Amino acid sequence: MAFPIQDDATSRAAEGTLADRVTGLIAADIRARVYPANTRLPTELAMTQQYGVSRTVIREAISRLKSEGLVETRQGSGTVVRDPKAADAFRLGQGGATTAEPPAQGVLRILELRRGIEAEMAALAAERRTGAEMTQIQQALRAIARAEKEGRDGVEEDLAFHIAISRAAHNPHYTELLGMLTRALHDAIRLTRSNEARRTDLAAQVQAEHEAICAAIKARDAASARTAAFMHMHNTAGRIEQAGQDFWTGDSRAAARRVARAKLGTTSPTPVKAGKPSAPR
């Protein structure tokens, strides 16, 4: 059974480190069948006592376990353990990442991977989307603006926007692929949005790029949707490349390292309700 860990709630960096450790401990317990498949995880309170950390750390750990496909939220059942064999069915390695690489390199690799995926996905969405799916895409776009207005990072809302587009493509493999990339995407989106939020002109560029994708899909213009999504990924990579050394410190550096060493597995993305995104850029 896992052992208690001292919690330093005064430091966000320390909480991040604790979340890493607690995530690893719970994941190990799941794979060892301490928490059997299809059973509920203990309550947050019970886990804070068991692991000796704050609820914030437990919530972050649970979020990461969801991204890894080891647990899922079921209505009326709480957080339920998934079969670890299913979560580990297919995994990609580290892709040759080394500690000597610049912190941005792992993020740029994810953006390169997404560039072709997002472009074709948007084109198919323009051709195939229904009226209801278009409404969901528009609601997801408005949710990003609302999050920014409220001073939140908009990471979950950004990811939800892209998930909504994947569903409108009417090819479930796109949604499954985004699910496989979820953990790396979450950190990558957080980094890109943190960088863009430092300058109002960059934030405005991102908003305009998202709006261009949405408008092309609404117009059923597949060629324009493909170009808009491709350029969004291309420009996002450019903004990351131009981030100064001062950006790659603290939380940003830690997140970049997680992206670089991420192992990507076949996981199901967190369900997203229209207008109230809970998970996905």
Side-chain angles (χ1 to χ4, degrees):
M1 185 63 67
F3 51 85
I5 301 174
Q6 286 297 316
D7 183 8
D8 180 5
T10 64
S11 169
R12 288 180 60 198
E15 283 194 344
T17 301
L18 284 171
D20 288 339
R21 294 173 63 190
V22 171
T23 301
L25 289 170
I26 300 174
D29 282 346
I30 289 172
R31 292 190 169 93
R33 310 293 177 174
V34 173
Y35 301 126
N38 298 314
T39 62
R40 293 177 59 177
L41 279 181
T43 65
E44 279 186 8
L45 178 58
M47 295 184 85
T48 61
Q49 294 171 346
Q50 179 178 349
Y51 294 99
V53 295
S54 69
R55 288 197 175 197
T56 300
V57 171
I58 292 297
R59 287 169 185 163
E60 177 63 21
I62 297 301
S63 176
R64 295 182 188 185
L65 291 167
K66 286 180 183 177
S67 297
E68 291 183 14
L70 290 171
V71 302
E72 63 183 1
T73 301
R74 297 180 187 171
Q75 189 170 7
S77 300
T79 303
V80 178
V81 176
R82 298 185 66 205
D83 185 346
K85 290 183 179 179
D88 294 336
F90 175 67
R91 297 180 75 81
L92 302 177
Q94 298 181 33
T98 68
T99 55
E101 286 183 339
Q105 194 60 49
V107 183
L108 292 172
R109 284 198 183 98
I110 292 294
L111 291 171
E112 284 179 358
L113 182 62
R114 288 182 63 196
R115 194 162 57 201
I117 294 169
E118 296 273 357
E120 195 59 28
M121 187 174 78
L124 290 174
E127 294 173 350
R128 301 172 178 175
R129 59 90 178 164
T130 65
E133 287 163 345
M134 191 66 238
T135 297
Q136 290 174 352
I137 293 169
Q138 292 171 314
Q139 287 176 334
L141 183 58
R142 288 194 292 270
I144 298 174
R146 188 163 57 248
E148 292 173 348
K149 185 176 180 180
E150 294 172 356
R152 294 183 284 114
D153 61 19
V155 173
E156 307 295 337
E157 291 78 7
D158 194 318
L159 186 52
F161 174 68
H162 293 274
I163 286 287
I165 293 172
S166 78
R167 289 172 177 158
H170 286 252
N171 180 337
H173 295 315
Y174 280 108
T175 306
E176 291 166 0
L177 184 55
L178 288 186
M180 185 181 76
L181 294 169
T182 295
R183 184 171 185 182
L185 279 180
H186 200 276
D187 277 321
I189 292 171
R190 177 174 285 132
L191 283 166
T192 58
R193 292 192 66 83
S194 295
N195 176 51
E196 292 152 1
R198 298 190 303 164
R199 287 171 44 186
T200 56
D201 60 326
L202 295 186
Q205 286 174 19
V206 177
Q207 180 180 352
E209 289 165 14
H210 279 156
E211 290 175 350
I213 297 169
C214 186
I217 293 173
K218 183 177 182 180
R220 298 190 183 278
D221 187 338
S224 293
R226 182 182 288 110
T227 298
F230 182 93
M231 290 309 300
H232 174 48
M233 292 293 99
H234 175 78
N235 293 341
T236 300
R239 289 186 284 266
I240 280 290
E241 289 179 314
Q242 293 168 15
Q245 289 299 316
D246 61 317
F247 176 70
W248 300 107
T249 59
D251 289 347
S252 294
R253 189 174 188 85
R257 285 177 174 171
R258 286 197 299 272
V259 172
R261 66 174 183 261
K263 291 187 177 181
L264 313 177
T266 51
T267 68
S268 300
T270 304
V272 179
K273 295 181 180 179
K276 285 181 133 185
S278 60
R281 201 172 174 165

